[in-house]
Amino acid sequence: SEFKPLLDFLSDSGAPADAGISETLTQYDADGVSDIWPKALNRRKIDPEGAITAARTLLEATCKHILEDAQFEIPDKWDLPKLYSKTAKHLILSPSQHTEYTFKRILGGCQSVVENLGGLRNKISDAHGGGRRKIRPTERHATLAVNLAGSMAMFLIETWTIQQSKARAKAAKEQSDA
């Protein structure tokens, strides 16, 4: 009974990645990205289906914001895999843009995670109505989906931010050399 307050605190404080992801998304400060993350976190326990929908929405919003910031036109018909593919290519994160086997595999795994989170949302989230035999996700399923989406969003945003910093530094150097 002495450990109950500590155990309650730890179970309510979320996963270790939550804080780092929250910080990155807040620093990016894009409406529709930083607003979705708390929804996804809060729904993990109380609404696993909604958490999975929010996880997919987080990735979609992240890709759209990065592409918009990069001045890309985004057709309305693009689904999450297409959005991610275009974003990854722009950020030089597409497996086909690398020759090192390990990087190709890791980046291919990232692509697979994004594609399958979209599929998971279609199958077991609250995005589509289900019949009597619909699979109901549990908190652990929602936590996995939210943490994967958050990690991917953080990786994309950090990559975009670093590339923008390098581009600004290069432009400033070129301007000072001129």
Side-chain angles (χ1 to χ4, degrees):
S1 66
E2 292 177 22
F3 289 109
K4 184 160 177 24
L6 177 61
L7 293 173
D8 289 343
F9 170 77
L10 291 174
S11 69
D12 290 337
S13 64
D18 292 358
I21 294 168
S22 295
E23 183 179 335
T24 297
L25 297 180
T26 301
Q27 286 176 357
Y28 184 55
D29 196 31
D31 291 340
V33 173
S34 58
D35 296 343
I36 298 167
W37 178 241
K39 288 179 190 176
L41 292 176
N42 293 333
R43 292 178 181 172
R44 289 181 295 193
K45 283 185 180 182
I46 60 170
D47 180 15
E49 291 175 337
I52 291 168
T53 298
R56 185 218 175 268
T57 302
L58 174 67
L59 284 172
E60 182 177 16
T62 300
C63 290
K64 284 183 175 182
H65 278 79
I66 290 171
L67 291 172
E68 287 170 359
D69 289 349
Q71 308 300 311
F72 280 96
E73 288 292 323
I74 305 167
D76 290 336
K77 64 182 178 180
W78 280 8
D79 60 1
L80 179 58
K82 180 69 175 174
L83 287 165
Y84 178 77
S85 177
K86 188 71 167 177
T87 305
K89 282 183 183 166
H90 180 70
L91 298 176
I92 312 169
L93 297 175
S94 177
S96 64
Q97 294 170 301
H98 294 270
T99 56
E100 172 61 40
Y101 178 75
T102 303
F103 289 130
K104 288 177 86 70
R105 295 278 311 218
I106 289 172
L107 295 172
C110 291
Q111 188 170 357
S112 180
V113 163
V114 172
E115 289 174 4
N116 287 299
L117 280 173
L120 186 67
R121 177 237 175 218
N122 290 340
K123 295 286 184 194
I124 66 171
S125 78
D126 61 0
H128 298 289
R132 295 182 197 280
R133 295 184 201 164
K134 181 179 180 190
I135 298 169
R136 303 278 181 213
T138 66
E139 179 185 341
R140 70 188 175 96
H141 299 117
T143 298
L144 177 63
V146 169
N147 290 345
L148 287 170
S151 295
M152 287 304 305
M154 180 177 69
F155 180 61
L156 292 171
I157 290 168
E158 287 178 346
T159 302
W160 171 248
T161 303
I162 288 168
Q163 288 182 1
Q164 292 305 293
S165 294
K166 287 180 179 179
R168 283 191 297 275
K170 181 180 175 183
K173 184 177 179 340
E174 289 172 355
Q175 189 175 20
S176 69
D177 289 346

